Amino acid sequence: GQQVMQIPQYQHVQEGEDFTTYCNSSTTLSNIQWYKQRPGGHPVFLIQLVKSGEVKKQKRLTFQFGEAKKNSSLHITATQTTDVGTYFCAAPGGGGTSYGKLTFGQGTILTVHP
Amino acid sequence: NAGVMQNPRHLVRRRGQEARLRCSPMKGHSHVYWYRQLPEEGLKFMVYLQKENIIDESGMPKERFSAEFPKEGPSILRIQQVVRGDSAAYFCASSPDQGGPYGYTFGSGTRLTVV
């Protein structure tokens, strides 16, 4: 089945430092989504990337989708304590254009030290 | 516009009892998904349902677990004869259509503790 590998598992940064998490798939993805889960909370949808090489920005967050549509990254510039949480990538299950079920990466737990 | 509603938020069950978790999707959403999350772990897919139909249950344990999404009322995830290993957070999500650009909307989850 669809597998999405995400690294690193943990990241500790000082406030103001940058942060990046990476997501890799062995198969070509139709799209990739990113979610954030605050401690004790539930996952919240951040963005969806569809096109090869796509780059999208949300304030200090930059999302990229690889040219081969097999990898993606989320970069946060100048982290703040409000960025604390777990960041997940997610891809449609079954590969190809199969939607519905999403397979989530293991997540990157971000800790920001003030 | 209410989001995805899950209840109860916390559920404590003794080993051998049944657990019933409820999920009402967002208004206008006809697709419901259940995920399980262990502490500091990822989200594991369990089941995908539409009204009165199970679309994909490939993540459901073969025994003791069942799910439904009736024509009227919320989706129900039922765990019979619970064991300690069932302790986890169970999240429900909904979407308006397959592969829509707005991702899933998750509920706040049900934290199940088996004692």
Side-chain angles (χ1 to χ4, degrees):
Chain A
Q2 179 68 272
Q3 280 198 329
V4 179
M5 305 303 293
Q6 190 174 352
I7 56 169
Q9 187 176 358
Y10 300 94
Q11 187 75 60
H12 299 264
V13 299
Q14 289 292 133
E15 190 173 18
E17 292 182 337
D18 292 356
F19 158 76
T20 306
T21 174
Y22 302 90
C23 204
N24 292 288
S25 168
S26 57
T27 60
T28 301
L29 303 172
S30 57
N31 68 76
I32 194 156
Q33 301 179 14
W34 286 91
Y35 291 77
K36 177 184 178 181
Q37 183 177 23
R38 287 202 160 97
H42 58 277
V44 174
F45 174 74
L46 294 176
I47 209 160
Q48 175 174 283
L49 305 171
V50 178
K51 299 176 184 175
S52 168
E54 188 169 15
V55 178
K56 286 188 176 180
K57 293 193 176 187
Q58 290 178 351
K59 297 184 180 177
R60 294 179 294 103
L61 278 61
T62 302
F63 304 84
Q64 291 189 328
F65 201 9
E67 293 290 340
K69 300 181 72 171
K70 289 186 177 182
N71 57 72
S72 181
S73 65
L74 158 58
H75 179 82
I76 302 179
T77 304
T79 54
Q80 299 175 359
T81 54
T82 53
D83 296 325
V84 163
T86 304
Y87 293 84
F88 293 99
C89 60
T97 57
S98 174
Y99 292 110
K101 165 187 172 183
L102 278 181
T103 297
F104 282 78
Q106 302 93 315
T108 296
I109 300 172
L110 173 63
T111 304
V112 179
H113 300 282
Chain B
N1 186 15
V4 177
M5 304 302 292
Q6 283 190 255
N7 65 82
R9 288 291 301 272
H10 300 274
L11 182 62
V12 179
R13 283 287 177 266
R14 295 187 182 279
R15 281 178 294 171
Q17 290 185 320
E18 178 179 287
R20 278 193 183 220
L21 288 60
R22 296 175 193 78
C23 170
S24 295
M26 275 189 72
K27 188 176 181 180
H29 287 196
S30 58
H31 302 254
V32 167
Y33 316 86
W34 285 93
Y35 285 79
R36 177 164 62 179
Q37 185 176 41
L38 294 169
E40 294 206 354
E41 290 194 12
L43 294 148
K44 303 298 183 189
F45 170 80
M46 300 183 74
V47 63
Y48 163 32
L49 311 104
Q50 292 182 29
K51 283 286 186 182
E52 300 184 279
N53 286 306
I54 296 175
I55 307 302
D56 183 341
E57 57 181 347
S58 57
M60 288 278 272
K62 293 285 185 279
E63 298 177 350
R64 302 187 298 108
F65 285 72
S66 63
E68 63 177 3
F69 188 14
K71 187 177 180 181
E72 302 290 339
S75 175
I76 306 286
L77 178 67
R78 183 202 288 186
I79 311 172
Q80 296 178 300
Q81 300 176 327
V82 296
V83 301
R84 289 237 170 95
D86 296 331
S87 295
Y90 292 83
F91 290 99
C92 168
S94 70
S95 68
D97 56 42
Q98 291 185 14
Y102 302 108
Y104 286 179
T105 301
F106 279 85
S108 298
T110 294
R111 273 78 178 171
L112 172 65
T113 303
V114 179
V115 296

